[in-house]
C-alpha cells in the first residue's frame, strides 16, 4: 500500500525557494503567477493492507521525521 | 572538562573543533555517532558539516542517530552541550533547543566573516567575553536563518536566552549585519539552564593568529577552565 506525505512550509514561514521560482516564472513571461510555495512529496511503500492503519503509521512518520512541525505542515494520503 | 566531539557521517569540521578545544587546554576525544555511552563526559560538542548529506532537512537524520539518546541523557544530567552550525541545526531538529534554521533569506550559501554581539556573559560559554562585546566569527552555511514563532522568540528574549546576535563591528544590530535573515538577528541561543548553546557561526575558525585572528578563543578558554 502506498502512502504519500506532502510537506509544505507553514503559512508565514519565509519560502525563498518559492519566491525564486515565482521570479523565474515571471521572467519566462508567466505574468499571471502570484505567490509560489515549494514543498516536498514523499512516497512510502508500506507493508500494510488496512488504509486506516497505513494512514496512522504515515502520520506518525511525518510527525517524527518527515516534517519539522516547527516550520512545516504535512498532509497524508493513502492509495487504496 | 572531559570533552567529546561527536562525529556523524558527513560532518567535516570536527578537526577544526578538536584543534580549538586542544589549544585551550582540553583533551577532547572523538565519538562516532553509533556510540551510546557518554558517561563521564562534561562537555559534548556537535561540530559543523553536512551530516547525512543534509538529506530531508539539515540535521534531521543526525537528530535520530543512536548517540542522540545519550546526548539527551547528558543534558538531563546537567551536562554541557555545544552545537555549532550543523551542530546547532541538529540540536533544533532534536528538540534540545527551540526553533529551526531555514534557508538563508538570500537563498545563497554564505561564506564570510560576521560579527557577533555577546548578549550575556554569565554562562560557561561566554564568561571570557564582556557583555556587549563584539567578536568576529566565520559563517559558512546555506541554512542559518533562525526561525521560531513570535511566542517562542518573546520567551527567549524574556528569559535572556539569546546568547549572540549578528551585529556590525561596532555592535549595532542592523538588517545589513544580519546576512542570513535570522529572526531578531539571533545567531546563538541557550537552554533555560544555560548549559546548552547552539550557534551558526564558527568560533573555532579563529583561535590562532595564523588563522587570521583569535576572536573565538575566549569561548574555548572559558570551557577549558569551567
Amino acid at each position: 500500500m502506498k502512502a504519500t506525505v506532502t510537506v509544505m512550509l507553514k503559512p508565514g514561514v519565509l519560502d525563498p525557494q518559492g519566491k525564486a521560482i515565482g521570479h523565474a516564472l515571471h521572467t519566462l513571461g508567466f505574468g499571471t503567477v502570484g505567490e509560489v510555495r515549494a514543498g516536498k512529496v514523499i512516497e512510502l511503500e508500506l507493508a500494510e493492507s488496512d488504509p486506516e492503519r497505513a494512514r496512522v503509521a504515515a502520520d506518525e512518520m511525518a510527525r517524527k521525521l518527515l516534517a519539522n512541525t516547527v516550520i512545516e505542515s504535512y498532509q497524508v494520503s493513502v492509495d487504496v | 572538562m572531559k570533552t567529546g566531539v561527536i562525529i556523524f557521517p558527513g560532518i567535516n569540521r570536527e578537526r577544526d573543533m578538536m584543534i580549538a578545544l586542544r589549544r585551550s587546554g582540553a583533551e577532547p576525544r572523538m565519538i562516532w555517532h553509533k556510540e551510546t555511552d557518554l558517561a563521564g563526559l562534561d562537555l559534548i560538542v556537535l561540530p559543523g558539516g553536512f551530516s547525512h548529506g543534509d538529506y530531508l532537512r539539515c540535521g534531521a537524520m543526525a537528530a535520530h542517530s543512536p548517540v542522540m539518546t545519550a546526548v539527551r541523557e547528558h543534558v538531563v544530567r546537567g551536562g554541557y552541550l555545544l552545537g555549532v552550525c550543523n551542530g546547532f541545526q541538529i540540536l533544533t531538529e532534536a528538540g534540545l533547543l527551540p526553533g529551526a534554521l531555514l534557508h538563508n533569506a538570500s537563498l545563497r550559501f554564505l561564506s564570510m566573516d560576521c560579527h557577533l554581539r555577546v548578549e550575556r556573559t554569565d554562562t560557561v560559554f561566554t564568561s571570557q567575553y564582556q557583555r556587549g562585546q563584539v567578536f568576529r566569527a566565520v559563517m559558512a552555511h546555506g541554512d542559518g536563518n533562525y526561525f521560531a514563532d513570535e511566542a517562542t522568540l518573546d520567551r527567549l528574549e524574556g528569559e535572556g536566552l539569546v546568547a549572540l546576535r549578528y551585529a556590525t563591528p561596532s555592535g549595532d544590530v542592523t538588517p545589513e549585519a544580519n546576512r542570513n535573515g535570522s529572526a531578531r538577528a539571533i545567531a546563538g541561543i541557550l537552554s533555560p539552564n544555560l548549559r546548552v548553546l547552539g550557534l551558526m557561526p564558527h568560533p573555532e575558525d579563529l583561535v590562532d593568529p595564523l588563522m587570521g585572528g583569535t576572536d573565538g578563543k575566549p569561548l574555548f578558554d572559558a570551557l577549558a577552565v569551567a
Side-chain angles (χ1 to χ4, degrees):
Chain A
M1 182 160 278
K2 195 175 90 180
T4 303
V5 180
T6 305
V7 181
M8 298 296 293
L9 286 169
K10 286 180 178 172
V13 177
L14 181 69
D15 178 8
Q17 191 171 226
K19 273 197 165 45
I21 293 167
H23 185 75
L25 289 171
H26 275 269
T27 305
L28 285 170
F30 295 103
T32 57
V33 175
E35 194 190 6
V36 179
R37 310 279 292 170
K40 293 182 194 114
V41 174
I42 299 161
E43 293 180 347
L44 305 163
E45 195 60 51
L46 300 177
E48 182 64 75
S49 55
D50 177 61
E52 191 45 39
R53 281 213 299 270
R55 178 184 300 280
V56 168
D59 189 85
E60 188 179 3
M61 292 176 211
R63 264 186 292 113
K64 288 192 170 167
L65 178 67
L66 304 179
N68 177 346
T69 55
V70 174
I71 50 172
E72 294 168 328
S73 58
Y74 64 88
Q75 284 187 317
V76 175
S77 67
V78 175
D79 287 359
V80 285
Chain B
M1 253 197 214
K2 286 203 176 125
T3 304
V5 176
I6 309 232
I7 316 299
F8 301 94
I11 285 291
N12 62 2
R13 303 306 313 281
E14 71 280 5
R15 285 165 205 284
D16 312 79
M17 189 59 78
M18 296 289 282
I19 288 168
L21 290 161
R22 285 201 187 106
R23 280 196 67 81
S24 292
E27 293 175 12
R29 70 176 173 97
M30 290 195 189
I31 295 168
W32 184 235
H33 73 119
K34 295 211 168 154
E35 286 190 38
T36 52
D37 183 8
L38 301 177
L41 290 176
D42 304 304
L43 168 67
I44 293 171
V45 182
L46 308 189
F50 301 86
S51 58
H52 300 274
D54 281 350
Y55 286 178
L56 192 63
R57 298 176 304 275
C58 301
M61 306 292 177
H64 300 284
S65 279
V67 75
M68 289 307 289
T69 303
V71 170
R72 281 175 205 284
E73 289 165 359
H74 170 84
V75 170
V76 170
R77 280 198 301 271
Y80 295 107
L81 176 60
L82 171 66
V84 173
C85 199
N86 193 210
F88 184 19
Q89 294 164 339
I90 294 167
L91 292 182
T92 60
E93 280 285 342
L96 289 167
L97 287 173
L101 283 311
L102 300 172
H103 287 313
N104 295 340
S106 64
L107 264 187
R108 292 199 176 92
F109 190 98
L110 294 170
S111 177
M112 59 182 62
D113 283 0
C114 62
H115 290 86
L116 302 177
R117 190 176 77 190
V118 179
E119 301 292 287
R120 70 184 290 173
T121 56
D122 55 340
T123 81
V124 73
F125 305 99
T126 55
S127 62
Q128 294 203 12
Y129 292 107
Q130 305 296 315
R131 185 154 190 268
Q133 184 180 341
V134 176
F135 71 94
R136 191 160 58 93
V138 179
M139 60 161 71
H141 58 245
D143 299 71
N145 178 356
Y146 184 73
F147 173 89
D149 59 43
E150 287 297 311
T152 302
L153 292 170
D154 288 343
R155 180 179 65 76
L156 286 171
E157 305 247 29
E159 296 177 8
L161 301 180
V162 178
L164 301 162
R165 267 185 237 272
Y166 298 105
T168 64
S170 55
D172 296 317
V173 173
T174 66
E176 294 73 31
N178 181 17
R179 299 295 296 264
N180 59 26
S182 288
R184 305 194 192 178
I186 290 172
I189 55 170
L190 294 152
S191 62
N193 71 358
L194 308 181
R195 289 175 174 229
V196 181
L197 171 67
L199 73 162
M200 284 310 299
H202 294 273
E204 75 277 17
D205 280 16
L206 290 173
V207 295
D208 187 304
L210 285 174
M211 295 172 167
T214 57
D215 281 45
K217 194 158 184 299
L219 189 148
F220 298 99
D221 288 346
L223 286 172
V225 298

